Amino acid sequence: MTQKKILVVEDERAIRDMLAFNLGRAGYDVRPVADAREARAAIADVHPDLVVMDWMLPDISGLELTRQLKRDGETKEIPVIMLTARAEEDDRIAGLDGGADDYIVKPFSQRELLARIRAALRRSTVADGEVVSAADLKLDAASHRVSVRDAEVALGPTEYRLLEFFMHHPDRVYSRAQLLDRVWGGNVYVEERTVDVHIRRLRKALTPYGYDRLIRTVRGAGYRFSPQQT
Ligand code: CA
């Protein structure tokens, strides 16, 4: 199983260091940052599986940053656990209204935080297991099956992951470097033309159904999955 990546956004150094240490020891790949500006850069860079966000930050509040993340199609699926020093009911509601998936009141035990993190990650994995479809093309993440009108489309593992990524991120251009990062993972070294090879295979597998054209080449930019083009 791959290590889950957690972004910790907390301006208080002692708490940030403590979180980084404890989450690291619990087996997570932790990226600690001190403010919203650094958080945005880190999110674009590492694509965390979850964000632990302090409410009170020096630039914009954790609540406002969470709202921004939840408005952006690229980041809205990332679970956010809000840390708050305020126990008042109103603030809790504001936190959840703002899009936080859970909140935890300071001071909290590490064990409680870890339990909340595991629960939030489990929920987001279940959401990933849904069936996505585009026209008659259906992808079932639970069974790893791709089908068109009940006929199974045989795909290699990389082509499957590519298609899964595209179907979750339609109508948006991705460069080869972005696809390598998002589909292959940031830690592998693969040449960019590898992407073209797998795109070609994926298109070939979809050609009998006429769905190869859903994957558009955008000259000088990369690729776009456009389900409306049928
Ligand atoms: Ca703070």
Side-chain angles (χ1 to χ4, degrees), residues 10-12 54-57 106:
E10 166 64 87
D11 57 313
E12 277 170 76
D54 187 35
W55 184 299
M56 300 295 279
L57 294 172
K106 290 177 182 173

Side-chain angles (χ1 to χ4, degrees), residues 50 55 58 181 201:
L50 181 138
W55 184 299
D181 190 38
R201 287 186 194 157

Side-chain angles (χ1 to χ4, degrees), residues 167-194:
M167 290 179 79
H168 281 285
H169 302 86
D171 299 313
R172 225 192 120 117
V173 180
Y174 288 93
S175 68
R176 289 166 180 82
Q178 284 173 319
L179 288 171
L180 278 179
D181 190 38
R182 303 291 297 270
V183 177
W184 276 255
N187 298 323
V188 292
Y189 179 76
V190 189
E191 287 182 59
E192 292 197 357
R193 65 166 182 240
T194 303

Side-chain angles (χ1 to χ4, degrees), residues 5-224:
K5 292 176 279 186
I6 298 184
L7 177 70
V8 170
V9 191
E10 166 64 87
D11 57 313
E12 277 170 76
R13 179 146 192 200
I15 300 176
R16 188 170 68 239
D17 288 351
M18 184 260 297
L19 286 169
F21 178 77
N22 283 310
L23 296 180
R25 202 173 52 173
Y28 295 108
D29 178 0
V30 190
R31 175 81 166 254
V33 299
D35 57 37
R37 192 184 52 81
E38 285 181 19
R40 280 199 210 91
I43 287 165
D45 185 26
V46 302
H47 309 289
D49 297 291
L50 181 138
V51 179
V52 174
M53 175 94 73
D54 187 35
W55 184 299
M56 300 295 279
L57 294 172
D59 41 4
I60 63 166
S61 75
L63 182 63
E64 180 51 32
L65 179 58
T66 301
R67 284 202 182 104
Q68 292 174 5
L69 296 178
K70 295 294 177 179
R71 272 198 300 261
D72 183 342
E74 271 294 280
T75 53
K76 68 176 184 206
E77 310 290 350
I78 303 172
V80 176
I81 297 180
M82 188 86 81
L83 302 178
T84 172
R86 316 163 175 190
E88 291 90 344
E89 196 72 20
D90 283 355
D91 290 335
R92 261 167 35 183
I93 291 164
L96 295 175
D97 275 355
D101 297 82
D102 201 355
Y103 69 92
I104 190 161
V105 179
K106 290 177 182 173
F108 50 86
S109 75
Q110 292 302 306
R111 189 189 295 183
E112 186 182 1
L113 177 63
L114 286 171
R116 301 291 186 89
I117 287 172
R118 277 194 298 269
L121 286 173
R122 210 158 39 228
R123 284 194 299 272
S124 75
T125 312
V126 170
D128 283 349
E130 284 165 14
V131 174
V132 283
S133 54
D136 284 332
L137 185 63
K138 213 190 298 178
L139 182 142
D140 183 346
S143 62
H144 265 235
R145 281 186 81 236
V146 175
S147 57
V148 176
R149 293 178 294 271
D150 293 330
E152 184 161 359
V153 181
L155 294 178
T158 304
E159 287 71 47
Y160 174 87
R161 287 204 309 277
L162 252 178
L163 181 63
E164 183 179 41
F165 177 77
F166 278 136
M167 290 179 79
H168 281 285
H169 302 86
D171 299 313
R172 225 192 120 117
V173 180
Y174 288 93
S175 68
R176 289 166 180 82
Q178 284 173 319
L179 288 171
L180 278 179
D181 190 38
R182 303 291 297 270
V183 177
W184 276 255
N187 298 323
V188 292
Y189 179 76
V190 189
E191 287 182 59
E192 292 197 357
R193 65 166 182 240
T194 303
V195 175
D196 302 329
V197 172
H198 290 280
I199 292 274
R200 207 176 308 137
R201 287 186 194 157
L202 177 57
R203 279 181 174 148
K204 200 173 163 205
L206 296 174
T207 298
Y209 313 96
Y211 286 153
D212 49 312
R213 66 203 153 137
L214 300 187
I215 300 159
R216 320 285 293 190
T217 302
V218 182
R219 216 161 279 288
Y223 294 101
R224 182 182 64 220

